[in-house]
Amino acid sequence: MGTATPKQFLTIGDVPLILHCLLVFERAPSVSQVILVVPENERERTLADVIKRYDIKKVLRVVAGGVTRQESVYEGLKASDPEADIVVVHDGVRPFVTEDLIERSIAEARHTGGAIVAVPMKETVKQVGADGHILCTIDRSSLWLAQTPQAFRRALLLEAYERAKSERFDATDEAGVMERFGHKVAIIPGRWDNIKITTPEDLQMAEAILRIHPRAVNNVAR
């Protein structure tokens, strides 16, 4: 993003991205508690400027993450309630998650053991060689773009993460870890506005989405 501020603390609608996510999880009926994973040097700011300021009730702990996404998720997973049946992992920079996406992913994970939100690929996909020329056009009919939330049985995900750590295997999402060790993961059709904020253009798009579809977060006390 090119800013000194961590992405999850950038604002849309004048409040942090992370707050947009937290308020949806606050309202989700099947979510009983939230473990928030942030950089070590952002824990105090998170507690003061987000959790306490906006009176977020479901956050049980704010824990320090690791160097990679996988390390951070593992820290959050270890801090979660051992009695929990299902855990849900969500990117703090996907501010347009909905209660419906959360609830459907949890329901599918209860049924199958694991599920992720994803959208089908729309664009034509080209495989390109080292020389910059097209090698082939890939059939997109079976290709999906992974999003979050991603929900799994806690015991299965924790075991997979522990095995991944021992084998020094690193994946870019939770489903990748589960796939590595033979677990099937279901797809829940997602939403195209469930975008991940990674560039300045994404931030502009998020502001536009918020103007078109105002959310309850617009009414929280600043």
Side-chain angles (χ1 to χ4, degrees):
M1 185 69 77
T3 66
T5 303
K7 288 184 295 184
Q8 62 266 42
F9 295 103
L10 296 175
T11 62
I12 58 170
D14 296 326
V15 296
L17 292 175
I18 189 68
L19 180 63
H20 288 264
C21 301
L22 287 172
L23 289 176
V24 180
F25 278 83
E26 280 282 289
R27 297 191 300 267
S30 297
V31 176
S32 59
Q33 57 186 234
V34 174
I35 306 296
L36 199 54
V37 183
V38 299
E40 173 65 47
N41 62 353
E42 297 293 343
R43 290 182 70 248
E44 293 304 317
R45 172 161 64 158
T46 303
L47 286 167
D49 294 352
V50 179
I51 308 305
K52 293 180 181 178
R53 180 179 179 184
Y54 296 102
D55 195 28
I56 304 299
K57 303 293 189 185
K58 287 186 180 179
V59 173
L60 182 67
R61 295 188 185 89
V62 179
V63 302
V67 175
T68 66
R69 173 198 173 95
Q70 187 163 309
E71 290 174 358
S72 295
V73 171
Y74 185 43
E75 292 303 317
L77 188 57
K78 291 188 295 182
S80 64
D81 184 354
E83 299 300 316
D85 180 29
I86 302 294
V87 292
V88 181
V89 181
H90 184 65
D91 295 322
V93 290
R94 286 190 189 272
F96 299 112
V97 64
T98 65
E99 292 170 61
D100 177 65
L101 291 178
I102 294 168
E103 293 296 321
R104 285 195 289 127
S105 63
I106 290 173
E108 185 63 28
R110 285 196 176 117
H111 179 63
T112 64
I116 73 167
V117 172
V119 289
M121 181 80 74
K122 293 191 294 186
E123 291 84 359
T124 298
V125 183
K126 304 290 186 180
Q127 184 177 358
V128 179
D131 62 357
H133 291 93
I134 294 171
L135 296 176
C136 65
T137 300
I138 298 174
D139 180 10
R140 70 185 181 201
S141 63
S142 64
L143 300 180
W144 290 65
L145 301 174
Q147 300 180 339
T148 64
Q150 301 195 2
F152 305 91
R153 292 198 180 278
R154 181 184 184 275
L156 292 178
L157 188 61
L158 182 59
E159 178 187 25
Y161 265 72
E162 289 172 344
R163 290 183 63 184
K165 183 177 180 180
S166 67
E167 295 182 13
R168 297 184 179 180
F169 171 74
D170 191 60
T172 55
D173 71 351
E174 294 66 60
V177 179
M178 295 291 278
E179 295 160 33
R180 166 80 172 191
F181 301 110
H183 297 290
K184 289 187 176 181
V185 181
I187 288 289
I188 297 296
R191 297 170 55 104
W192 285 101
D193 62 359
N194 184 27
I195 62 173
K196 184 177 182 180
I197 310 300
T198 57
T199 68
E201 292 77 15
D202 294 333
L203 205 57
Q204 294 171 3
M205 186 180 298
E207 290 284 7
I209 292 171
L210 199 60
R211 285 195 297 271
I212 297 169
H213 300 293
R215 308 182 71 184
V217 70
N218 294 343
N219 300 320
V220 300
R222 300 295 193 268

